[in-house]
Amino acid sequence: MLLIKNGRVVDPSTQTDATLDVLVEGDRIAAVGPGLEAPSAEIVDASGLVVAPGFIDIHCHLREPGDESSETIESGTRAAARGGFTTVCCMPNTHPVNDNASVTRFVVDRAAAVGAVRVWPIGAVSAGSRGESLAEIAAMKEAGIVAISDDGHPVASAKLLRQAMEYCQALDLPVIDHCEDPSLFAGAVMREGPSSVRLGLRGMPAATESICVARDVQVAELTGGRLHIAHLSAAESLMLVRQAKRRGLHVTCEVTPHHFTLTDEEVTYDSRFKVNPPIASRQDRDLLLEGLADGSVDAIATDHAPHEPARKDVEFDLAPFGMIGFETALSLALEQLYHSGRVTLPRLVELFTSGPARVLGITRRLAPGEPADLTLFSLDHPWTFRTVESASLSQNSPFDGRSFRGAPVLTVVAGQIAFRR
Ligand code: DOR
Ligand code: ZN
């Protein structure tokens, strides 16, 4: 038993924002209220801390099976717990690709054996994510996937997306697309603009993403299916999502901490800044922040993408795309959204909890009977992120050495403490 006393309980799904206690019994929440007592419980003094429903990350790469020198399910979930996440959804671009039930079962079983947090796999849209024919979606759903995506690549054609969306309607799964027009992407390594010209690096325009978002929204309308746009990075894409929502389509989107924090002016030849989609222009970044504040963005997702030093520490042109993100996500959100006064605390919590839950079609509530997944964090605790102290096996973060105000303090998964600062 765990009794969390005197925290500021913030749960956007029940519109709670009050100083309360939370009692955990076994793997469930037993009670939420003022002045709770439980003589045999371990007491956690949460005064001065925020107590939120467990954070969900709907977009990460755990690299197992196949690239265990970059990350494993064990190391990745430990990093996730340190970041306050109690559930992470891992993308299928492993080796082999998670395009059939045996790979899904491997991930689920491995996570049950060694995972520090819950792992909900995302299956591939197409066999091998090759964009030709559909993967074994129903069998993967049976084995535990919560969505499908060919992440790393866009769904290859409107026809394939249409098939996937029609198929997924019966299974009630969202289709997550990494939006990118291959002809505009070709050979580029960063966002096209004055910064790419200054650095002499090949750039891709923002339209690389938004052209694909426009296609996808139309297919969502054609099929009535659930479409989720991964790592949205362009203002034009956000406008398309806003319009789609206004028209009542089932379209949602996520934004990553690196896209709402960095601008292409800050990109250097350091390959830690190389990520796909690339870091946006200042104007686009500012509009992403607006979208996070006004409700048009549904979730913050990390796109935690570890790459071992041997492959990442090379020239910008040659390095793989991606950066790690679990351990800095909340602190960057506090910096950019909360301390800057752009969003309220309940809205910030929503972006990590009920927002991603809604994308997946589930609820996440801090209420009696619900699973005891909790994220406790400080709004003020000063700390400095150092990749050498990270639980990840990879170090590819442009935020190494950055100082923050506020951090995850206690992560509880199914009633067990997964991380304590
Ligand atoms: O930067 C990225 N890294 N973007 C992706 O779409 C894939 C990811 C990865 O798997 O490394
Ligand atoms: Zn992607």
Side-chain angles (χ1 to χ4, degrees):
M1 267 204 290
L2 203 58
L3 181 56
I4 298 161
K5 299 280 295 176
N6 297 315
R8 177 173 170 190
V9 173
V10 176
D11 180 3
S13 72
T14 55
Q15 266 135 43
T16 305
D17 183 357
T19 301
L20 297 168
D21 302 341
V22 179
L23 180 64
V24 171
E25 260 181 53
D27 60 1
R28 300 264 153 186
I29 295 170
V32 181
L36 298 182
E37 295 197 30
S40 56
E42 178 191 340
I43 308 281
V44 172
D45 178 12
S47 33
L49 299 179
V50 177
V51 179
F55 286 7
I56 304 174
D57 185 2
I58 47 173
H59 189 151
C60 74
H61 301 269
L62 298 178
R63 304 297 188 217
E64 190 177 353
D67 184 15
E68 292 83 356
S69 47
S70 291
E71 199 76 288
T72 62
I73 289 172
E74 183 172 12
S75 64
T77 55
R78 278 183 48 228
R82 292 171 64 84
F85 295 99
T86 61
T87 301
V88 297
C89 302
C90 57
M91 284 296 175
N93 62 337
T94 46
H95 306 283
V97 169
N98 185 6
D99 64 0
N100 67 79
S102 65
V103 179
T104 306
R105 272 194 296 272
F106 168 83
V107 172
V108 168
D109 291 348
R110 192 84 195 123
V114 301
V117 306
R118 296 181 204 266
V119 175
W120 294 349
I122 294 168
V125 171
S126 61
S129 278
R130 282 187 301 272
E132 289 155 13
S133 56
L134 289 183
E136 294 175 17
I137 301 168
M140 289 192 291
K141 158 99 189 196
E142 195 75 2
I145 61 160
V146 295
I148 58 168
S149 179
D150 275 346
D151 185 53
H153 303 284
V155 177
S157 67
K159 179 182 171 187
L160 185 69
L161 180 61
R162 179 191 192 180
Q163 285 173 342
M165 291 198 118
E166 282 174 348
Y167 199 77
C168 279
Q169 263 179 299
L171 298 172
D172 200 21
L173 289 174
V175 180
I176 302 177
D177 202 9
H178 162 123
C179 285
E180 176 182 295
D181 178 88
S183 64
L184 288 173
F185 180 78
V189 294
M190 70 174 290
R191 177 65 90 82
E192 181 180 296
S195 297
S196 66
V197 172
R198 174 174 54 80
L199 293 168
L201 293 171
R202 171 98 62 109
M204 67 189 96
T208 308
E209 176 183 277
S210 54
I211 284 173
C212 187
V213 174
R215 176 198 80 172
D216 285 16
V217 167
Q218 291 182 59
V219 177
E221 177 156 36
L222 179 67
T223 58
R226 284 163 64 191
L227 169 71
H228 178 71
I229 308 296
H231 43 51
L232 184 143
S233 72
E236 185 65 28
S237 308
L238 186 60
M239 297 232 311
L240 290 162
V241 168
R242 275 202 190 105
Q243 279 167 15
K245 287 184 171 188
R246 239 179 271 132
R247 285 160 55 212
L249 305 181
H250 300 290
V251 176
T252 54
C253 72
E254 68 192 32
V255 171
T256 72
H258 47 275
H259 287 114
F260 68 65
T261 301
L262 298 170
T263 70
D264 62 353
E265 296 154 36
E266 293 166 89
V267 173
T268 66
Y269 294 114
D270 184 336
S271 68
R272 289 178 300 180
F273 288 100
K274 184 172 174 182
V275 67
N276 187 22
I279 300 303
S281 67
R282 175 174 297 274
Q283 199 185 5
D284 278 22
R285 192 279 311 265
D286 290 348
L287 289 164
L288 295 181
L289 288 168
E290 265 178 36
L292 286 153
D294 72 15
S296 18
V297 175
D298 297 274
I300 292 173
T302 65
D303 195 7
H304 176 83
H307 293 288
E308 62 167 321
R311 253 175 296 139
K312 186 70 172 176
D313 294 350
V314 297
E315 295 92 307
F316 203 96
D317 274 336
L318 302 177
F321 292 97
M323 49 180 75
I324 57 172
F326 286 141
E327 292 168 67
T328 45
L330 172 63
S331 296
L332 287 168
L334 287 170
E335 174 189 295
Q336 295 297 319
L337 300 173
Y338 179 73
H339 293 308
S340 65
R342 283 192 178 91
V343 310
T344 63
L345 190 57
R347 171 65 183 149
L348 180 128
V349 170
E350 181 182 21
L351 285 161
F352 283 106
T353 60
S354 47
R358 192 170 56 239
V359 172
L360 297 174
I362 59 166
T363 54
R364 171 131 309 200
R365 287 186 318 137
L366 228 161
E370 296 288 322
D373 288 10
L374 303 165
T375 298
L376 274 64
F377 62 96
S378 152
L379 292 169
D380 295 305
H381 179 76
W383 73 292
T384 301
F385 176 63
R386 300 202 189 281
T387 52
V388 290
E389 293 164 11
S390 164
S392 175
L393 296 183
S394 293
Q395 316 251 304
N396 50 310
S397 169
F399 302 113
D400 188 23
R402 194 175 181 109
S403 293
F404 293 109
R405 230 175 109 198
V409 170
L410 190 79
T411 308
V412 178
V413 181
Q416 305 291 316
I417 293 175
F419 166 69
R420 176 177 249 155
R421 187 172 292 270

